[in-house]
Coordinates of all heavy atoms in Angstrom, one line a residue:
R9 N 62.4 102.7 129.2 CA 63.8 103.1 129.4 C 64.5 101.9 130.0 O 64.0 101.1 130.7 CB 63.9 104.3 130.5 CG 65.3 104.6 130.9 CD 65.2 105.5 132.2 NE 66.6 105.5 132.8 CZ 67.4 106.5 132.7 NH1 67.1 107.6 132.0 NH2 68.6 106.5 133.3
R15 N 64.7 96.5 131.2 CA 64.1 97.6 130.6 C 62.7 97.8 131.3 O 62.0 96.8 131.5 CB 63.8 97.4 129.1 CG 63.0 98.5 128.4 CD 63.1 98.4 126.9 NE 64.4 98.8 126.5 CZ 64.7 100.1 126.2 NH1 63.9 101.1 126.4 NH2 66.0 100.5 125.8
I28 N 46.8 102.8 141.0 CA 47.8 101.9 141.6 C 48.7 101.3 140.5 O 48.2 100.7 139.5 CB 47.2 100.8 142.4 CG1 46.3 101.3 143.6 CG2 48.2 99.8 142.8 CD1 47.2 101.7 144.8
G34 N 61.1 95.1 142.1 CA 62.1 95.0 141.1 C 61.6 95.1 139.6 O 62.4 94.9 138.7
V35 N 60.2 95.3 139.5 CA 59.7 95.4 138.1 C 59.8 96.8 137.5 O 59.5 97.0 136.4 CB 58.2 94.9 138.0 CG1 58.2 93.4 138.4 CG2 57.4 95.7 138.8
S39 N 60.8 103.5 139.2 CA 61.4 104.1 138.0 C 60.3 104.8 137.2 O 60.6 105.9 136.7 CB 62.1 103.1 137.1 OG 63.2 102.5 137.8
V57 N 49.8 114.7 131.6 CA 49.1 114.8 132.9 C 48.2 116.0 132.8 O 48.6 117.1 132.7 CB 50.0 114.9 134.1 CG1 49.2 114.9 135.4 CG2 51.0 113.7 134.1
I69 N 60.1 117.3 124.0 CA 59.6 117.9 125.1 C 60.1 117.3 126.4 O 60.0 116.1 126.5 CB 58.1 118.0 125.0 CG1 57.6 118.8 123.9 CG2 57.5 118.6 126.3 CD1 56.1 118.7 123.6
P74 N 60.7 121.0 138.5 CA 59.9 121.9 139.3 C 58.6 122.4 138.7 O 57.6 122.6 139.3 CB 60.8 123.1 139.6 CG 62.2 122.5 139.4 CD 62.1 121.5 138.3
F82 N 58.4 109.9 148.9 CA 59.3 108.7 148.6 C 59.1 107.6 149.6 O 58.4 107.8 150.7 CB 60.8 109.2 148.7 CG 61.1 110.2 147.6 CD1 61.0 111.6 147.9 CD2 61.6 109.8 146.4 CE1 61.4 112.5 147.0 CE2 61.9 110.7 145.4 CZ 61.8 112.1 145.7
F88 N 64.1 116.8 156.4 CA 65.3 117.5 156.7 C 65.6 117.4 158.3 O 64.9 117.8 159.1 CB 65.3 119.0 156.4 CG 65.1 119.2 154.9 CD1 64.0 119.8 154.4 CD2 66.1 118.8 154.1 CE1 63.8 120.0 153.0 CE2 66.0 119.1 152.7 CZ 64.9 119.6 152.2
R92 N 62.9 121.3 162.4 CA 61.8 120.8 163.1 C 60.6 120.5 162.2 O 60.7 121.0 161.0 CB 61.3 121.7 164.3 CG 62.4 121.9 165.4 CD 61.9 122.8 166.5 NE 63.0 123.1 167.4 CZ 63.2 122.4 168.5 NH1 62.4 121.4 168.9 NH2 64.2 122.8 169.3
E94 N 57.7 121.7 161.9 CA 57.0 123.0 161.4 C 57.8 123.6 160.2 O 57.3 124.0 159.2 CB 56.8 124.0 162.5 CG 56.0 125.2 162.1 CD 55.7 126.1 163.2 OE1 56.3 126.0 164.3 OE2 54.8 127.0 163.0
A95 N 59.2 123.6 160.4 CA 60.0 124.1 159.4 C 60.1 123.2 158.2 O 60.2 123.7 157.0 CB 61.5 124.3 159.9
Q101 N 55.8 124.6 151.5 CA 55.1 125.8 151.1 C 55.9 126.8 150.4 O 55.4 127.4 149.4 CB 54.4 126.4 152.3 CG 53.4 127.4 151.9 CD 52.5 127.8 153.1 OE1 53.1 128.2 154.2 NE2 51.2 127.8 153.1
H108 N 49.8 129.1 143.3 CA 49.7 127.6 143.2 C 49.3 127.0 144.5 O 49.1 125.8 144.6 CB 50.9 127.0 142.6 CG 51.2 127.3 141.2 ND1 52.5 127.3 140.6 CD2 50.4 127.7 140.2 CE1 52.4 127.5 139.3 NE2 51.1 127.8 139.1
G121 N 46.6 115.1 161.4 CA 46.7 114.8 162.8 C 48.2 115.0 163.2 O 48.6 114.3 164.1
I122 N 48.8 116.0 162.7 CA 50.2 116.3 163.1 C 50.4 117.6 163.7 O 51.6 118.1 163.9 CB 51.1 116.2 161.8 CG1 50.7 117.2 160.7 CG2 51.1 114.7 161.3 CD1 51.6 117.2 159.5
P130 N 62.7 115.5 163.4 CA 62.5 114.3 162.7 C 62.9 113.0 163.4 O 62.3 111.9 163.3 CB 63.1 114.5 161.3 CG 63.1 116.0 161.2 CD 63.3 116.6 162.6
G135 N 57.7 106.0 162.5 CA 57.5 105.8 161.0 C 56.3 106.4 160.4 O 56.3 107.1 159.4
R139 N 55.9 109.7 158.0 CA 55.2 109.6 156.6 C 54.1 110.7 156.5 O 53.9 111.4 155.5 CB 54.6 108.3 156.5 CG 55.5 107.1 156.4 CD 56.3 107.0 155.1 NE 57.3 106.0 155.2 CZ 57.1 104.7 155.1 NH1 55.9 104.2 154.8 NH2 58.1 103.8 155.2
A146 N 54.5 117.6 151.1 CA 54.3 117.5 149.5 C 53.0 118.3 149.2 O 53.0 118.9 148.2 CB 54.1 116.0 149.2
D157 N 55.3 106.5 146.7 CA 56.1 105.2 146.6 C 56.0 104.4 147.8 O 56.7 104.7 148.7 CB 57.5 105.7 146.1 CG 58.4 104.5 145.7 OD1 57.8 103.3 145.6 OD2 59.6 104.6 145.5
S161 N 54.9 100.9 153.5 CA 55.9 99.9 153.8 C 56.5 100.2 155.2 O 56.7 101.3 155.6 CB 56.9 99.9 152.7 OG 57.7 101.2 152.8
L163 N 55.5 99.7 158.1 CA 54.7 100.3 159.2 C 53.9 99.2 159.9 O 53.5 98.3 159.2 CB 53.8 101.4 158.7 CG 54.4 102.6 158.0 CD1 53.3 103.5 157.5 CD2 55.3 103.4 159.0
P166 N 48.6 99.7 163.2 CA 47.9 101.0 163.5 C 48.4 102.1 162.7 O 47.7 103.0 162.3 CB 48.2 101.1 165.0 CG 48.5 99.7 165.5 CD 49.2 99.0 164.4
R167 N 49.8 102.1 162.4 CA 50.3 103.3 161.6 C 49.9 103.2 160.2 O 49.7 104.1 159.5 CB 51.9 103.2 161.7 CG 52.4 103.3 163.1 CD 52.2 104.6 163.8 NE 50.9 104.7 164.4 CZ 50.6 104.1 165.6 NH1 51.4 103.4 166.2 NH2 49.3 104.2 166.1
A197 N 43.5 97.0 146.6 CA 42.1 96.8 146.6 C 41.3 97.9 147.3 O 40.3 98.4 146.9 CB 41.6 95.4 147.1

Side-chain angles (χ1 to χ4, degrees):
R9 173 194 163 102
R15 174 165 290 275
I28 296 283
V35 297
S39 294
V57 180
I69 296 171
F82 298 91
F88 295 114
R92 295 181 189 268
E94 186 172 17
Q101 190 169 52
H108 293 156
I122 57 175
R139 297 283 171 84
D157 188 5
S161 64
L163 299 179
R167 304 293 83 77

